[in-house]
Amino acid sequence: MEKHYAVIGDPIQHSLSPDMHNAGYQALGVDAFYQRFQVKADRLGEAVQGLHALGFSGWNVTLPHKEAILALLDTLTPQAERAGAVNTVKIHEGQMIGHNTDGDGFVRSVQEELNGFQGKKAVLLGAGGAGKGIALALAEQGMKLHILNRTPEKANELARIIQREGGMATAGEFAPGDWLKDVDLLVQTTSIGLHKEPFPFSLEGISKQALVVDIIFNPMETLFLIEAKQLGCRTQNGLRMLLYQGALAWEFWFGGQAPIEEMRQALKHGLAERV
Ligand SMILES: NC(=O)c1ccc[n+]([C@@H]2O[C@H](COP(=O)([O-])OP(=O)(O)OC[C@H]3O[C@@H](n4cnc5c(N)ncnc54)[C@H](OP(=O)(O)O)[C@@H]3O)[C@@H](O)[C@H]2O)c1
């Protein structure tokens, strides 16, 4: 019998998740169909009950519901519990299980380029929902984190959480500094650049060894990434993170390995159509 999956959020019309997952089902001959649904913040409870009642086998969750959905689910995986956010739900024996693949998806997306995490230095710009998941996952890999956020209290709090769990993290001012000289991985997790606006400060003086990632993928190259490239750094946009968080959601739902190449191609085509 055909299984049903979905992504819920608001806005949702530009989501590439249906392209990626349906291409995966087709590649492996999985009898399933993935849709996108716009769900307003004040209708989340009804939407979750509706998906459950309609027999959906699982769904992804995006803005603005990643935190609000926690209270509506039966159990959480350790990843969801730690991140305080859910991006994937699976129905298992009638129970709604909340999971989070954003942080581990990011880790997988940089694994090859970074060539090892242990003891390397990561600087994180932003401490919002995505930043938090990424920071926790990188700390778990043994990276030394330095977190910068416009609202400093949020960076301090995130650094404290990581320290409490035995990880290495400090917080600093949302500004250029000595950190530029020896950073191995710089991750831009704020929403600056979504509307092609310039980043508020320059990366002048950054180590040419650094891998610079902007988790935004539309536009494909933010002004932040363009500057990093001009300064001689390797760069990566957010499409690989989207791909690997999707692949991990797939693996959570079906077990086995997701068809990465087909999903990557579908994302590329989907994005080209929308840009
Ligand atoms: N590639 C992927 O798979 C993926 C997955 C998730 C998210 N994303 C992208 O990640 C970005 C952030 O998403 P989110 O869910 O983390 O959002 P969020 O929870 O709302 O956090 C937004 C972050 O951006 C900062 N920020 C916003 N405007 C700023 C400005 N003008 N100056 C300085 N800092 C600013 C906020 O700082 P304050 O704390 O000071 O407000 C906060 O750190 C979005 O662009 C989203 O599209 C990509």
Side-chain angles (χ1 to χ4, degrees), residues 174-237:
F174 190 71
D178 282 347
W179 57 265
L180 281 162
K181 290 186 219 148
D182 59 358
V183 58
D184 296 301
L185 172 65
L186 175 61
V187 196
Q188 196 310 91
T189 75
T190 77
S191 40
I192 305 168
L194 268 179
H195 305 291
K196 303 191 176 169
E197 65 274 38
F199 199 73
F201 58 82
S202 165
L203 302 178
E204 197 73 50
I206 191 169
S207 160
K208 287 191 177 17
Q209 305 305 314
L211 171 63
V212 179
V213 182
D214 193 326
I215 68 166
I216 291 173
F217 52 81
N218 187 9
M220 286 201 264
E221 210 171 32
T222 56
L223 292 172
F224 174 85
L225 271 197
I226 291 171
E227 191 196 15
K229 196 191 262 178
Q230 282 166 351
L231 291 169
C233 299
R234 290 163 296 150
T235 59
Q236 180 175 304
N237 72 13

Short mmCIF file of all heavy atoms in Angstrom, two decimals, residues 174-237:
data_model
loop_
_atom_site.label_atom_id
_atom_site.label_comp_id
_atom_site.label_asym_id
_atom_site.label_seq_id
_atom_site.Cartn_x
_atom_site.Cartn_y
_atom_site.Cartn_z
N PHE A 174 29.55 39.66 18.02
CA PHE A 174 29.20 39.44 16.61
C PHE A 174 29.96 40.48 15.77
O PHE A 174 29.43 41.54 15.39
CB PHE A 174 27.68 39.61 16.45
CG PHE A 174 27.15 39.18 15.12
CD1 PHE A 174 27.10 37.84 14.77
CD2 PHE A 174 26.68 40.12 14.20
CE1 PHE A 174 26.60 37.43 13.53
CE2 PHE A 174 26.18 39.72 12.96
CZ PHE A 174 26.15 38.38 12.63
N ALA A 175 31.25 40.18 15.55
CA ALA A 175 32.15 41.14 14.89
C ALA A 175 33.41 40.39 14.46
O ALA A 175 33.68 39.30 14.96
CB ALA A 175 32.53 42.24 15.89
N PRO A 176 34.20 41.00 13.54
CA PRO A 176 35.46 40.35 13.18
C PRO A 176 36.40 40.34 14.39
O PRO A 176 36.22 41.13 15.32
CB PRO A 176 36.03 41.24 12.06
CG PRO A 176 35.12 42.40 11.91
CD PRO A 176 33.98 42.27 12.85
N GLY A 177 37.39 39.45 14.39
CA GLY A 177 38.31 39.39 15.53
C GLY A 177 39.45 38.44 15.22
O GLY A 177 39.58 37.94 14.09
N ASP A 178 40.23 38.14 16.26
CA ASP A 178 41.38 37.24 16.09
C ASP A 178 40.96 35.86 15.59
O ASP A 178 41.76 35.14 15.01
CB ASP A 178 42.12 37.08 17.43
CG ASP A 178 42.98 38.30 17.72
OD1 ASP A 178 43.18 39.11 16.78
OD2 ASP A 178 43.43 38.44 18.87
N TRP A 179 39.70 35.49 15.85
CA TRP A 179 39.21 34.17 15.44
C TRP A 179 39.38 33.92 13.95
O TRP A 179 39.48 32.78 13.50
CB TRP A 179 37.76 33.97 15.87
CG TRP A 179 36.77 34.99 15.37
CD1 TRP A 179 36.34 36.10 16.04
CD2 TRP A 179 36.09 35.01 14.11
NE1 TRP A 179 35.44 36.81 15.28
CE2 TRP A 179 35.27 36.16 14.09
CE3 TRP A 179 36.10 34.18 12.99
CZ2 TRP A 179 34.46 36.50 13.00
CZ3 TRP A 179 35.30 34.50 11.90
CH2 TRP A 179 34.50 35.65 11.91
N LEU A 180 39.41 35.01 13.16
CA LEU A 180 39.50 34.86 11.70
C LEU A 180 40.80 34.18 11.28
O LEU A 180 40.84 33.46 10.28
CB LEU A 180 39.43 36.24 11.03
CG LEU A 180 38.04 36.87 10.90
CD1 LEU A 180 38.13 38.36 10.66
CD2 LEU A 180 37.25 36.19 9.77
N LYS A 181 41.85 34.38 12.10
CA LYS A 181 43.20 33.92 11.69
C LYS A 181 43.36 32.42 11.70
O LYS A 181 44.13 31.87 10.92
CB LYS A 181 44.25 34.53 12.64
CG LYS A 181 44.42 36.01 12.45
CD LYS A 181 45.59 36.49 13.32
CE LYS A 181 45.28 37.85 13.94
NZ LYS A 181 45.88 38.03 15.24
N ASP A 182 42.68 31.74 12.63
CA ASP A 182 42.94 30.30 12.73
C ASP A 182 41.69 29.44 12.70
O ASP A 182 41.66 28.33 13.22
CB ASP A 182 43.77 30.00 14.00
CG ASP A 182 43.04 30.47 15.25
OD1 ASP A 182 41.94 31.04 15.12
OD2 ASP A 182 43.58 30.27 16.35
N VAL A 183 40.64 29.97 12.04
CA VAL A 183 39.40 29.20 11.96
C VAL A 183 39.52 28.11 10.88
O VAL A 183 40.06 28.34 9.81
CB VAL A 183 38.19 30.14 11.68
CG1 VAL A 183 38.38 30.94 10.40
CG2 VAL A 183 36.88 29.37 11.63
N ASP A 184 39.07 26.89 11.23
CA ASP A 184 39.07 25.80 10.24
C ASP A 184 37.74 25.73 9.50
O ASP A 184 37.69 25.40 8.32
CB ASP A 184 39.30 24.45 10.95
CG ASP A 184 40.67 24.39 11.61
OD1 ASP A 184 41.66 24.52 10.88
OD2 ASP A 184 40.73 24.23 12.84
N LEU A 185 36.66 26.01 10.24
CA LEU A 185 35.32 25.93 9.66
C LEU A 185 34.51 27.14 10.13
O LEU A 185 34.34 27.34 11.34
CB LEU A 185 34.62 24.65 10.14
CG LEU A 185 33.15 24.49 9.78
CD1 LEU A 185 32.96 24.35 8.27
CD2 LEU A 185 32.55 23.27 10.49
N LEU A 186 34.06 27.96 9.19
CA LEU A 186 33.22 29.12 9.53
C LEU A 186 31.82 28.85 8.99
O LEU A 186 31.66 28.58 7.79
CB LEU A 186 33.80 30.40 8.92
CG LEU A 186 32.98 31.67 9.09
CD1 LEU A 186 32.80 32.02 10.57
CD2 LEU A 186 33.64 32.86 8.36
N VAL A 187 30.82 28.89 9.88
CA VAL A 187 29.46 28.56 9.46
C VAL A 187 28.54 29.76 9.67
O VAL A 187 28.37 30.23 10.80
CB VAL A 187 28.88 27.36 10.25
CG1 VAL A 187 27.65 26.82 9.52
CG2 VAL A 187 29.91 26.26 10.42
N GLN A 188 27.93 30.23 8.60
CA GLN A 188 27.00 31.36 8.63
C GLN A 188 25.59 30.78 8.76
O GLN A 188 25.07 30.20 7.82
CB GLN A 188 27.20 32.13 7.33
CG GLN A 188 26.64 33.53 7.23
CD GLN A 188 25.21 33.75 7.64
OE1 GLN A 188 24.92 34.07 8.82
NE2 GLN A 188 24.30 33.58 6.72
N THR A 189 24.99 30.92 9.97
CA THR A 189 23.66 30.32 10.18
C THR A 189 22.58 31.37 10.40
O THR A 189 21.46 31.02 10.75
CB THR A 189 23.66 29.36 11.40
OG1 THR A 189 23.67 30.14 12.61
CG2 THR A 189 24.84 28.41 11.40
N THR A 190 22.91 32.67 10.23
CA THR A 190 21.85 33.68 10.39
C THR A 190 21.04 33.75 9.09
O THR A 190 21.43 33.16 8.08
CB THR A 190 22.41 35.09 10.68
OG1 THR A 190 22.90 35.66 9.47
CG2 THR A 190 23.52 35.07 11.73
N SER A 191 19.95 34.51 9.13
CA SER A 191 19.14 34.64 7.91
C SER A 191 19.62 35.80 7.03
O SER A 191 18.99 36.10 6.01
CB SER A 191 17.67 34.81 8.29
OG SER A 191 17.56 35.64 9.42
N ILE A 192 20.76 36.41 7.40
CA ILE A 192 21.28 37.52 6.58
C ILE A 192 21.76 37.00 5.24
O ILE A 192 22.61 36.10 5.18
CB ILE A 192 22.47 38.22 7.28
CG1 ILE A 192 22.09 38.67 8.69
CG2 ILE A 192 22.98 39.39 6.45
CD1 ILE A 192 23.28 39.10 9.53
N GLY A 193 21.22 37.56 4.15
CA GLY A 193 21.63 37.13 2.81
C GLY A 193 20.49 36.47 2.06
O GLY A 193 20.55 36.30 0.84
N LEU A 194 19.44 36.09 2.80
CA LEU A 194 18.26 35.46 2.16
C LEU A 194 17.68 36.39 1.10
O LEU A 194 17.14 35.95 0.10
CB LEU A 194 17.17 35.19 3.21
CG LEU A 194 17.15 33.84 3.89
CD1 LEU A 194 16.03 33.79 4.92
CD2 LEU A 194 16.99 32.71 2.88
N HIS A 195 17.79 37.70 1.35
CA HIS A 195 17.24 38.68 0.41
C HIS A 195 18.37 39.44 -0.27
O HIS A 195 18.22 40.61 -0.61
CB HIS A 195 16.26 39.60 1.14
CG HIS A 195 15.19 38.84 1.85
ND1 HIS A 195 14.20 38.16 1.18
CD2 HIS A 195 15.01 38.57 3.17
CE1 HIS A 195 13.43 37.53 2.05
NE2 HIS A 195 13.90 37.76 3.27
N LYS A 196 19.51 38.74 -0.42
CA LYS A 196 20.69 39.27 -1.12
C LYS A 196 21.30 40.50 -0.41
O LYS A 196 21.99 41.29 -1.04
CB LYS A 196 20.35 39.59 -2.58
CG LYS A 196 19.83 38.36 -3.31
CD LYS A 196 19.74 38.56 -4.80
CE LYS A 196 19.30 37.24 -5.43
NZ LYS A 196 18.94 37.32 -6.81
N GLU A 197 21.02 40.66 0.88
CA GLU A 197 21.61 41.79 1.59
C GLU A 197 23.05 41.46 2.01
O GLU A 197 23.37 40.29 2.21
CB GLU A 197 20.75 42.19 2.81
CG GLU A 197 20.66 41.17 3.92
CD GLU A 197 19.56 40.13 3.71
OE1 GLU A 197 19.34 39.71 2.56
OE2 GLU A 197 18.96 39.72 4.72
N PRO A 198 23.90 42.50 2.13
CA PRO A 198 25.30 42.24 2.50
C PRO A 198 25.43 41.78 3.95
O PRO A 198 24.58 42.11 4.78
CB PRO A 198 25.98 43.60 2.31
CG PRO A 198 24.88 44.61 2.36
CD PRO A 198 23.62 43.93 1.92
N PHE A 199 26.48 41.01 4.24
CA PHE A 199 26.75 40.61 5.63
C PHE A 199 27.28 41.84 6.36
O PHE A 199 28.00 42.65 5.78
CB PHE A 199 27.78 39.46 5.64
CG PHE A 199 27.76 38.72 6.93
CD1 PHE A 199 26.70 37.88 7.23
CD2 PHE A 199 28.76 38.90 7.86
CE1 PHE A 199 26.65 37.22 8.45
CE2 PHE A 199 28.72 38.24 9.08
CZ PHE A 199 27.66 37.40 9.37
N PRO A 200 26.96 42.01 7.66
CA PRO A 200 27.31 43.27 8.35
C PRO A 200 28.80 43.49 8.56
O PRO A 200 29.20 44.62 8.85
CB PRO A 200 26.59 43.17 9.69
CG PRO A 200 25.90 41.87 9.74
CD PRO A 200 26.06 41.17 8.44
N PHE A 201 29.65 42.46 8.46
CA PHE A 201 31.09 42.75 8.59
C PHE A 201 31.91 41.92 7.60
O PHE A 201 31.43 40.91 7.08
CB PHE A 201 31.59 42.58 10.03
CG PHE A 201 31.38 41.21 10.63
CD1 PHE A 201 32.26 40.17 10.37
CD2 PHE A 201 30.31 40.99 11.49
CE1 PHE A 201 32.08 38.93 10.96
CE2 PHE A 201 30.12 39.75 12.08
CZ PHE A 201 31.01 38.71 11.81
N SER A 202 33.15 42.41 7.38
CA SER A 202 34.02 41.77 6.38
C SER A 202 34.80 40.61 7.00
O SER A 202 35.06 40.59 8.20
CB SER A 202 35.00 42.81 5.85
OG SER A 202 36.04 42.18 5.17
N LEU A 203 35.20 39.65 6.16
CA LEU A 203 36.01 38.50 6.60
C LEU A 203 37.49 38.73 6.31
O LEU A 203 38.29 37.78 6.41
CB LEU A 203 35.53 37.22 5.89
CG LEU A 203 34.07 36.85 6.08
CD1 LEU A 203 33.72 35.60 5.29
CD2 LEU A 203 33.75 36.63 7.57
N GLU A 204 37.85 39.95 5.95
CA GLU A 204 39.24 40.30 5.64
C GLU A 204 40.18 39.72 6.71
O GLU A 204 39.90 39.88 7.91
CB GLU A 204 39.34 41.85 5.66
CG GLU A 204 40.55 42.43 4.99
CD GLU A 204 40.49 42.34 3.47
OE1 GLU A 204 39.46 42.74 2.89
OE2 GLU A 204 41.48 41.84 2.88
N GLY A 205 41.23 39.04 6.30
CA GLY A 205 42.18 38.46 7.26
C GLY A 205 41.87 37.02 7.60
O GLY A 205 42.59 36.39 8.40
N ILE A 206 40.86 36.42 7.00
CA ILE A 206 40.50 35.03 7.31
C ILE A 206 41.57 34.07 6.78
O ILE A 206 42.17 34.30 5.72
CB ILE A 206 39.10 34.67 6.73
CG1 ILE A 206 38.63 33.32 7.29
CG2 ILE A 206 39.10 34.67 5.19
CD1 ILE A 206 37.17 33.00 6.98
N SER A 207 41.79 32.99 7.53
CA SER A 207 42.75 31.96 7.11
C SER A 207 42.29 31.34 5.80
O SER A 207 41.12 30.97 5.64
CB SER A 207 42.81 30.88 8.20
OG SER A 207 43.32 29.70 7.65
N LYS A 208 43.23 31.20 4.87
CA LYS A 208 42.87 30.61 3.56
C LYS A 208 42.59 29.11 3.68
O LYS A 208 42.08 28.50 2.76
CB LYS A 208 44.00 30.86 2.55
CG LYS A 208 44.08 32.31 2.10
CD LYS A 208 45.02 32.44 0.93
CE LYS A 208 45.12 33.84 0.35
NZ LYS A 208 44.67 34.96 1.11
N GLN A 209 42.94 28.54 4.84
CA GLN A 209 42.67 27.11 5.07
C GLN A 209 41.19 26.86 5.39
O GLN A 209 40.74 25.72 5.40
CB GLN A 209 43.48 26.59 6.27
CG GLN A 209 44.98 26.82 6.18
CD GLN A 209 45.53 26.24 4.91
OE1 GLN A 209 45.21 25.12 4.54
NE2 GLN A 209 46.35 27.03 4.20
N ALA A 210 40.48 27.95 5.71
CA ALA A 210 39.12 27.78 6.24
C ALA A 210 38.15 27.27 5.18
O ALA A 210 38.21 27.68 4.02
CB ALA A 210 38.62 29.10 6.80
N LEU A 211 37.27 26.39 5.63
CA LEU A 211 36.10 26.02 4.83
C LEU A 211 34.97 26.94 5.32
O LEU A 211 34.69 26.98 6.52
CB LEU A 211 35.73 24.56 5.07
CG LEU A 211 34.39 24.10 4.46
CD1 LEU A 211 34.39 24.20 2.94
CD2 LEU A 211 34.07 22.66 4.88
N VAL A 212 34.38 27.70 4.40
CA VAL A 212 33.34 28.65 4.79
C VAL A 212 32.01 28.18 4.23
O VAL A 212 31.86 27.98 3.03
CB VAL A 212 33.68 30.07 4.27
CG1 VAL A 212 32.57 31.06 4.66
CG2 VAL A 212 35.02 30.53 4.83
N VAL A 213 31.03 27.99 5.14
CA VAL A 213 29.72 27.48 4.73
C VAL A 213 28.65 28.50 5.08
O VAL A 213 28.64 29.04 6.19
CB VAL A 213 29.40 26.16 5.46
CG1 VAL A 213 28.06 25.60 4.99
CG2 VAL A 213 30.51 25.13 5.25
N ASP A 214 27.78 28.77 4.13
CA ASP A 214 26.57 29.55 4.41
C ASP A 214 25.42 28.57 4.26
O ASP A 214 25.29 27.95 3.20
CB ASP A 214 26.43 30.72 3.42
CG ASP A 214 25.39 31.73 3.88
OD1 ASP A 214 24.39 31.30 4.49
OD2 ASP A 214 25.58 32.93 3.64
N ILE A 215 24.60 28.41 5.29
CA ILE A 215 23.56 27.37 5.19
C ILE A 215 22.36 27.82 4.36
O ILE A 215 21.43 27.05 4.12
CB ILE A 215 23.12 26.81 6.56
CG1 ILE A 215 22.39 27.86 7.39
CG2 ILE A 215 24.30 26.24 7.32
CD1 ILE A 215 21.66 27.23 8.59
N ILE A 216 22.41 29.07 3.87
CA ILE A 216 21.38 29.51 2.91
C ILE A 216 21.69 28.86 1.56
O ILE A 216 22.86 28.74 1.18
CB ILE A 216 21.41 31.06 2.81
CG1 ILE A 216 20.90 31.67 4.11
CG2 ILE A 216 20.60 31.56 1.60
CD1 ILE A 216 21.03 33.18 4.21
N PHE A 217 20.66 28.41 0.83
CA PHE A 217 20.91 27.85 -0.51
C PHE A 217 20.16 28.58 -1.61
O PHE A 217 20.39 28.33 -2.79
CB PHE A 217 20.58 26.35 -0.56
CG PHE A 217 19.20 26.02 -0.06
CD1 PHE A 217 18.09 26.16 -0.88
CD2 PHE A 217 19.01 25.58 1.24
CE1 PHE A 217 16.83 25.87 -0.42
CE2 PHE A 217 17.74 25.30 1.72
CZ PHE A 217 16.65 25.44 0.88
N ASN A 218 19.28 29.49 -1.25
CA ASN A 218 18.59 30.30 -2.24
C ASN A 218 18.53 31.73 -1.72
O ASN A 218 17.75 31.99 -0.82
CB ASN A 218 17.18 29.74 -2.49
CG ASN A 218 16.49 30.44 -3.63
OD1 ASN A 218 17.12 31.22 -4.34
ND2 ASN A 218 15.21 30.16 -3.84
N PRO A 219 19.40 32.62 -2.22
CA PRO A 219 20.29 32.51 -3.36
C PRO A 219 21.41 31.48 -3.16
O PRO A 219 21.83 31.26 -2.03
CB PRO A 219 20.88 33.91 -3.51
CG PRO A 219 20.75 34.54 -2.16
CD PRO A 219 19.51 33.95 -1.56
N MET A 220 21.88 30.90 -4.28
CA MET A 220 22.90 29.85 -4.19
C MET A 220 24.23 30.38 -3.67
O MET A 220 25.00 29.65 -3.07
CB MET A 220 23.08 29.19 -5.55
CG MET A 220 21.92 28.29 -5.90
SD MET A 220 22.38 27.10 -7.12
CE MET A 220 21.83 27.87 -8.59
N GLU A 221 24.51 31.66 -3.95
CA GLU A 221 25.75 32.25 -3.45
C GLU A 221 25.42 33.60 -2.81
O GLU A 221 25.10 34.56 -3.52
CB GLU A 221 26.76 32.41 -4.59
CG GLU A 221 28.18 32.31 -4.11
CD GLU A 221 29.16 32.24 -5.25
OE1 GLU A 221 28.89 32.84 -6.31
OE2 GLU A 221 30.22 31.60 -5.07
N THR A 222 25.50 33.67 -1.49
CA THR A 222 25.24 34.94 -0.79
C THR A 222 26.47 35.83 -0.94
O THR A 222 27.57 35.36 -1.28
CB THR A 222 25.00 34.69 0.71
OG1 THR A 222 26.15 33.99 1.22
CG2 THR A 222 23.75 33.86 0.95
N LEU A 223 26.30 37.12 -0.65
CA LEU A 223 27.45 38.03 -0.72
C LEU A 223 28.52 37.60 0.28
O LEU A 223 29.72 37.75 0.05
CB LEU A 223 26.99 39.47 -0.43
CG LEU A 223 26.08 40.07 -1.51
CD1 LEU A 223 25.51 41.42 -1.07
CD2 LEU A 223 26.84 40.22 -2.82
N PHE A 224 28.09 37.00 1.39
CA PHE A 224 29.01 36.45 2.40
C PHE A 224 29.91 35.39 1.76
O PHE A 224 31.13 35.40 1.91
CB PHE A 224 28.18 35.86 3.54
CG PHE A 224 28.96 35.14 4.59
CD1 PHE A 224 29.53 35.83 5.64
CD2 PHE A 224 29.12 33.76 4.53
CE1 PHE A 224 30.26 35.15 6.62
CE2 PHE A 224 29.83 33.09 5.50
CZ PHE A 224 30.41 33.78 6.55
N LEU A 225 29.33 34.47 1.02
CA LEU A 225 30.12 33.39 0.38
C LEU A 225 31.01 33.95 -0.72
O LEU A 225 32.14 33.50 -0.91
CB LEU A 225 29.20 32.33 -0.22
CG LEU A 225 28.77 31.16 0.64
CD1 LEU A 225 28.22 30.03 -0.23
CD2 LEU A 225 29.88 30.62 1.54
N ILE A 226 30.48 34.93 -1.45
CA ILE A 226 31.28 35.53 -2.54
C ILE A 226 32.54 36.16 -1.96
O ILE A 226 33.64 35.98 -2.48
CB ILE A 226 30.43 36.57 -3.33
CG1 ILE A 226 29.34 35.84 -4.12
CG2 ILE A 226 31.31 37.42 -4.25
CD1 ILE A 226 28.31 36.74 -4.77
N GLU A 227 32.39 36.86 -0.83
CA GLU A 227 33.59 37.48 -0.23
C GLU A 227 34.58 36.41 0.22
O GLU A 227 35.78 36.51 -0.01
CB GLU A 227 33.22 38.38 0.96
CG GLU A 227 34.44 39.20 1.39
CD GLU A 227 34.36 39.84 2.76
OE1 GLU A 227 33.50 39.47 3.57
OE2 GLU A 227 35.23 40.70 3.02
N ALA A 228 34.06 35.34 0.86
CA ALA A 228 34.95 34.28 1.35
C ALA A 228 35.73 33.65 0.19
O ALA A 228 36.93 33.38 0.30
CB ALA A 228 34.13 33.21 2.08
N LYS A 229 35.05 33.46 -0.92
CA LYS A 229 35.71 32.88 -2.10
C LYS A 229 36.79 33.83 -2.62
O LYS A 229 37.90 33.42 -2.93
CB LYS A 229 34.65 32.62 -3.19
CG LYS A 229 35.13 31.67 -4.28
CD LYS A 229 34.17 31.68 -5.43
CE LYS A 229 33.20 30.51 -5.38
NZ LYS A 229 32.24 30.55 -6.50
N GLN A 230 36.46 35.12 -2.68
CA GLN A 230 37.43 36.12 -3.15
C GLN A 230 38.65 36.17 -2.25
O GLN A 230 39.76 36.47 -2.69
CB GLN A 230 36.78 37.51 -3.22
CG GLN A 230 35.91 37.67 -4.45
CD GLN A 230 34.99 38.89 -4.37
OE1 GLN A 230 34.89 39.53 -3.31
NE2 GLN A 230 34.31 39.19 -5.47
N LEU A 231 38.47 35.84 -0.96
CA LEU A 231 39.60 35.86 -0.01
C LEU A 231 40.38 34.55 -0.04
O LEU A 231 41.29 34.35 0.75
CB LEU A 231 39.08 36.16 1.40
CG LEU A 231 38.53 37.58 1.61
CD1 LEU A 231 37.80 37.71 2.94
CD2 LEU A 231 39.67 38.60 1.54
N GLY A 232 40.00 33.63 -0.92
CA GLY A 232 40.80 32.41 -1.14
C GLY A 232 40.33 31.19 -0.37
O GLY A 232 41.02 30.17 -0.33
N CYS A 233 39.15 31.27 0.26
CA CYS A 233 38.65 30.12 1.04
C CYS A 233 37.84 29.18 0.16
O CYS A 233 37.27 29.58 -0.86
CB CYS A 233 37.75 30.61 2.16
SG CYS A 233 38.57 31.68 3.33
N ARG A 234 37.76 27.91 0.59
CA ARG A 234 36.80 26.97 -0.03
C ARG A 234 35.43 27.33 0.52
O ARG A 234 35.31 27.67 1.70
CB ARG A 234 37.13 25.53 0.37
CG ARG A 234 38.41 24.99 -0.25
CD ARG A 234 38.87 23.76 0.49
NE ARG A 234 39.22 24.08 1.86
CZ ARG A 234 39.12 23.24 2.89
NH1 ARG A 234 38.65 22.03 2.72
NH2 ARG A 234 39.48 23.60 4.10
N THR A 235 34.41 27.26 -0.33
CA THR A 235 33.07 27.64 0.13
C THR A 235 32.04 26.56 -0.21
O THR A 235 32.24 25.76 -1.11
CB THR A 235 32.61 28.97 -0.52
OG1 THR A 235 32.60 28.81 -1.94
CG2 THR A 235 33.50 30.13 -0.15
N GLN A 236 30.95 26.60 0.54
CA GLN A 236 29.86 25.64 0.34
C GLN A 236 28.55 26.31 0.74
O GLN A 236 28.49 26.97 1.78
CB GLN A 236 30.14 24.43 1.24
CG GLN A 236 29.13 23.31 1.16
CD GLN A 236 29.57 22.10 2.00
OE1 GLN A 236 30.65 21.55 1.82
NE2 GLN A 236 28.73 21.71 2.93
N ASN A 237 27.50 26.14 -0.05
CA ASN A 237 26.21 26.71 0.35
C ASN A 237 25.38 25.66 1.11
O ASN A 237 25.87 24.58 1.43
CB ASN A 237 25.45 27.32 -0.85
CG ASN A 237 24.91 26.26 -1.79
OD1 ASN A 237 24.86 25.07 -1.46
ND2 ASN A 237 24.49 26.68 -2.96
#
